Amino acid sequence: MSTTRPMLNQREAAAACGVSRSTIRRRREAGLLPGSVEDPERGWLIPVEALLAAGFTLNAPAPPDPSSPPGSASAGASLGDLVGGPVAELRAELERVRHQHALELAEARHGQALAESEAVHLRAQLAARGEHIGDLQRALQALMPALVRPAIPQPGEGLGRSPYSG
C-alpha cells in the first residue's frame, strides 16, 4: 500500500479503540469511517484519522473479543503496539507545537499590553506638555506691554502674519 498513514484492520481498530469488532464493522458499513479499504490479505483496513474523526479514543482498554482465541496477539493491544512509534512521535510533535504556540501567544499578549501601557503614558505626557505650553503662552502675553502684544496663537489656531513684519 502506498499510503503513509496508519491503517488498522477491524480487529486491530477494535482493540485500539476499546470497542468490539462489530462496532467497528457497523460504523464502517454505515459510512462513518471514510477511507476504509478492503485488502485481500488483511481484510478491511481503516485509517486511524477516520477512527479519531468518528469519536473513538485510541489506546482505550479493549473488551474481550468473543471471536478471538484467548492469548491472541491482538487481544488488548494498544495502538502504539499496532502502528509503532509514529503515533508517539506525532503526539510529541503535537504537544511541542501546542507549547510553542502557547508561548508565542503569551509573548504577543505581553507585547500588546506593553504597547497599550506606553500609549497611555505618551498620551498623558502629550496632554501635560500641551497644558505647559498654554501656561507659557499666557505668561508671555502677560509680560509684554499691551501695545506691542502680538496675538499668540492658541493651540489649534493657524499661524498668521507676524505683527512685526510690515
Side-chain angles (χ1 to χ4, degrees):
M1 200 157 234
S2 65
T3 181
T4 59
R5 63 184 179 179
M7 302 279 281
L8 306 176
N9 67 28
Q10 289 184 133
R11 183 182 310 254
E12 293 166 338
C17 296
V19 297
S20 68
R21 283 180 42 202
S22 61
T23 299
I24 299 293
R25 179 185 46 78
R26 283 194 308 272
R27 298 276 181 99
R28 180 189 49 77
E29 288 174 351
L32 299 175
L33 298 173
S36 298
V37 293
E38 191 169 13
D39 181 72
E41 293 177 18
R42 294 182 63 203
W44 281 97
L45 299 178
I46 299 132
V48 170
E49 295 93 7
L51 294 168
L52 295 171
F56 288 111
T57 303
L58 299 178
N59 290 329
D65 187 350
S67 65
S68 167
S72 69
S74 66
S78 70
L79 183 61
D81 296 336
L82 300 171
V83 295
V87 171
E89 291 173 17
L90 290 173
R91 284 186 177 152
E93 176 68 9
L94 176 62
E95 282 307 309
R96 187 192 65 73
V97 168
R98 281 181 178 161
H99 181 71
Q100 182 178 354
H101 175 70
L103 288 175
E104 289 171 359
L105 184 60
E107 188 175 302
R109 286 181 177 157
H110 179 68
Q112 181 182 6
L114 286 176
E116 289 171 356
S117 174
E118 181 70 10
V120 167
H121 174 70
L122 290 174
R123 283 189 197 105
Q125 279 188 335
L126 185 60
R129 288 186 181 172
E131 290 175 14
H132 184 67
I133 289 172
D135 291 343
L136 291 174
Q137 287 174 335
R138 286 187 289 280
L140 182 60
Q141 220 171 17
L143 292 173
M144 297 182 117
L147 296 176
V148 192
R149 262 187 217 161
I152 297 175
Q154 295 299 314
E157 293 180 6
L159 295 175
R161 289 182 46 153
S162 168
Y164 299 110
S165 61

